[in-house]
Amino acid sequence: MEPDHDLVLELPTDIRTIEHAVEYVVDRCRQCDSHADRLRLNFRVGLTEALSNAMLYGNGHDPSKRVRVEVTLGPGEITARVTDQGSGFNPHAVPDPTRPENLLKAGGRGLFLMRQLLDEVWYNDQGNQVTLVLRLEPTSPPLSGGARA
Amino acid sequence: MEPDHDLVLELPTDIRTIEHAVEYVVDRCRQCDSHADRLRLNFRVGLTEALSNAMLYGNGHDPSKRVRVEVTLGPGEITARVTDQGSGFNPHAVPDPTRPENLLKAGGRGLFLMRQLLDEVWYNDQGNQVTLVLRLEPTSPPLSGGARA
Amino acid sequence: MTVVDVEGQLIVGNRQELKQKVLEHLEAGDRKFVIDFSNTGYIDSSGLGVLVSLSKKIREQGGELRLSSLNEDLRTLFELTKLDTLFRIADTRDQALEGF
Amino acid sequence: MTVVDVEGQLIVGNRQELKQKVLEHLEAGDRKFVIDFSNTGYIDSSGLGVLVSLSKKIREQGGELRLSSLNEDLRTLFELTKLDTLFRIADTRDQALEGF
Ligand SMILES: Nc1ncnc2c1ncn2[C@@H]1O[C@H](COP(=O)(O)OP(=O)(O)O)[C@@H](O)[C@H]1O
Ligand SMILES: Nc1ncnc2c1ncn2[C@@H]1O[C@H](COP(=O)(O)OP(=O)(O)O)[C@@H](O)[C@H]1O
């Protein structure tokens, strides 16, 4: 019986095949890297939500107002802070979109997704600045974050 | 005084800019991901060394012989095992290429680089199979592995 | 029967295009819709919102909206938001079309 | 003066090309060589070996081999193997050519 492997190659003895074989293996490893997963889905969707709320609600579609994004890459975590020029809101007052009475509503899933997908989500007192933290630890589950609503 | 950030964007309030802004940030984060660094350099060079030794010494350039590569993606680590059809050798007998008397030699840096760049390198008893382990922990230094000669 | 592919992202910046396309066909009398996500990168909350409101509008006209070919990332978004309970989600486009 | 660019990888599968190119120029009488790594991905031990043996051959003819534009990855390989003590390594191609 052979043990299970994620990838097995049989190469001819031809040193010209080495470069391609190595690239192939590295590409496959990259795809399975859970950091890459969490950047691709969790961080991307979370940042999209933060930016659209800043533009739609914070800045109220006003094209003369601006949105500031600050990203900090720490050891093992990425922090993105999004600031709008609006007057803020109370994030605790946003209802749970997964309750049956809210399921058919077209809106109201943005904050929920941020909180589900990122490891930390916090607002400043005023409510016009949100900070998203994505942890890059090997033990993090690939798709859902630690902060639940 | 502003705190230091790795990346700062100022966006107009225009929801069509969101997709590009998010892609830009994610790409920049990817570049700074130390896992990507270690896949790009440490793993790539280490696997190249293992494959070329298998073809040149193990299989002695014989195009009728084959090299087997098995890759396993565990949580937080990548393992690559390279097996040739040769009779093996004694990896402990390979001299340190950084000693002054060896520095001008054209060869003899392959095992050394594998041991420097990977977190674990071990041979089977016969010496025709090498196993390379790359750890993907957020605290790993980006460029050099834990196993020293 | 209308089958619509979502290419790239379905997010706040482009969700109106999908909405308009489907509503045009609904007004033209189509009642059976499949939205296929084979070529979709990611969806944000406003993309999910468009799917919910289209589904409602189609149902009001006695029609049905089915979704197909969600990759693992997209499936996770539907599960997290419990929207997987709202839609009939087929693994492939062909399965969505079966017996429609 | 000969300046050679290494495009892509310098590894076991293609190191002979670089070796041949440099040796041809050496035989033709050139004595000053710069190998530039601006467009190089990675180098393996046999690529490093080619550089060592070229350097030796050029020195035997009274010439010199300089290296330039090593990115951080490549610099690490030279440092690990202590080959950074063997070569004159310039940050840029221009710096390598200065006063050569
Ligand atoms: N940056 C912001 N400034 C002001 N109000 C906001 C901001 N972000 C969110 N909100 C408020 O919170 C509500 C919920 O937002 P969200 O959960 O993202 O769902 P949706 O965007 O679909 O309404 C919004 O409708 C809005 O009233
Ligand atoms: N798979 C193998 N089978 C047999 N001998 C090997 C194998 N790998 C390495 N060796 C031996 O170990 C020596 C050192 O290898 P290495 O450190 O990679 O340097 P180089 O390839 O430059 O000689 C080789 O010259 C060879 O004799």
Side-chain angles (χ1 to χ4, degrees), chain A residues 40-41 44-45 48-49 52 56 98 103-106 109-110 112-113 116-117 143, chain C residues 12 42-45 48-49 52-53 56 72-73 76-77 80-83 85-86:
Chain A
R40 191 185 62 234
L41 182 70
R44 217 149 63 152
V45 173
T48 300
E49 300 296 344
S52 58
L56 300 178
T98 65
L103 218 51
L104 282 163
K105 290 190 181 152
R109 293 178 185 86
F112 175 82
L113 278 182
Q116 289 285 322
L117 296 172
L143 291 172
Chain C
V12 61
Y42 60 104
I43 303 182
D44 71 1
S45 67
L48 294 172
V52 170
S53 75
K56 229 176 357 183
E72 212 187 310
D73 281 0
T76 301
L77 295 175
L80 286 174
T81 54
K82 302 218 167 108
L83 291 179
T85 62
L86 214 69

Side-chain angles (χ1 to χ4, degrees), chain C residues 16-48:
Chain C
Q16 293 305 337
E17 294 163 30
L18 175 70
K19 190 163 184 174
Q20 237 171 303
K21 200 188 253 176
V22 171
L23 289 183
E24 274 166 22
H25 284 269
L26 185 65
E27 272 159 38
D30 281 4
R31 291 294 175 263
K32 296 177 179 176
F33 293 85
V34 176
I35 300 182
D36 187 88
F37 295 92
S38 304
N39 301 310
T40 311
Y42 60 104
I43 303 182
D44 71 1
S45 67
S46 64
L48 294 172

Side-chain angles (χ1 to χ4, degrees), chain A residues 105-121:
Chain A
K105 290 190 181 152
R109 293 178 185 86
L111 251 76
F112 175 82
L113 278 182
M114 277 193 265
R115 287 168 172 157
Q116 289 285 322
L117 296 172
L118 277 298
D119 295 291
E120 274 181 43
V121 176

Side-chain angles (χ1 to χ4, degrees), chain A residues 5-6 10 13 18 31 56 59 69 75-76 101 112 121 128 139:
Chain A
H5 298 291
D6 294 299
E10 294 269 356
T13 298
I18 291 180
Q31 284 163 24
L56 300 178
N59 290 353
V69 187
E101 68 270 23
F112 175 82
V121 176
N128 72 328
T139 48

Side-chain angles (χ1 to χ4, degrees), chain C:
Chain C
M1 168 95 59
T2 301
V3 181
V4 184
D5 278 296
V6 178
E7 309 275 344
Q9 327 312 340
L10 177 59
I11 59 177
V12 61
N14 66 12
R15 66 192 153 146
Q16 293 305 337
E17 294 163 30
L18 175 70
K19 190 163 184 174
Q20 237 171 303
K21 200 188 253 176
V22 171
L23 289 183
E24 274 166 22
H25 284 269
L26 185 65
E27 272 159 38
D30 281 4
R31 291 294 175 263
K32 296 177 179 176
F33 293 85
V34 176
I35 300 182
D36 187 88
F37 295 92
S38 304
N39 301 310
T40 311
Y42 60 104
I43 303 182
D44 71 1
S45 67
S46 64
L48 294 172
V50 161
L51 297 175
V52 170
S53 75
L54 283 175
S55 162
K56 229 176 357 183
K57 287 210 168 70
I58 292 168
R59 226 175 279 197
E60 283 164 8
Q61 304 295 323
E64 188 188 343
L65 169 62
R66 295 182 182 178
L67 311 181
S68 66
S69 314
L70 295 150
N71 66 27
E72 212 187 310
D73 281 0
L74 301 183
R75 223 168 244 282
T76 301
L77 295 175
F78 279 81
E79 286 163 9
L80 286 174
T81 54
K82 302 218 167 108
L83 291 179
D84 56 335
T85 62
L86 214 69
F87 293 96
R88 191 196 285 238
I89 301 178
D91 284 345
T92 63
R93 175 195 295 244
D94 285 348
Q95 281 177 28
L97 296 173
E98 244 167 52
F100 204 172

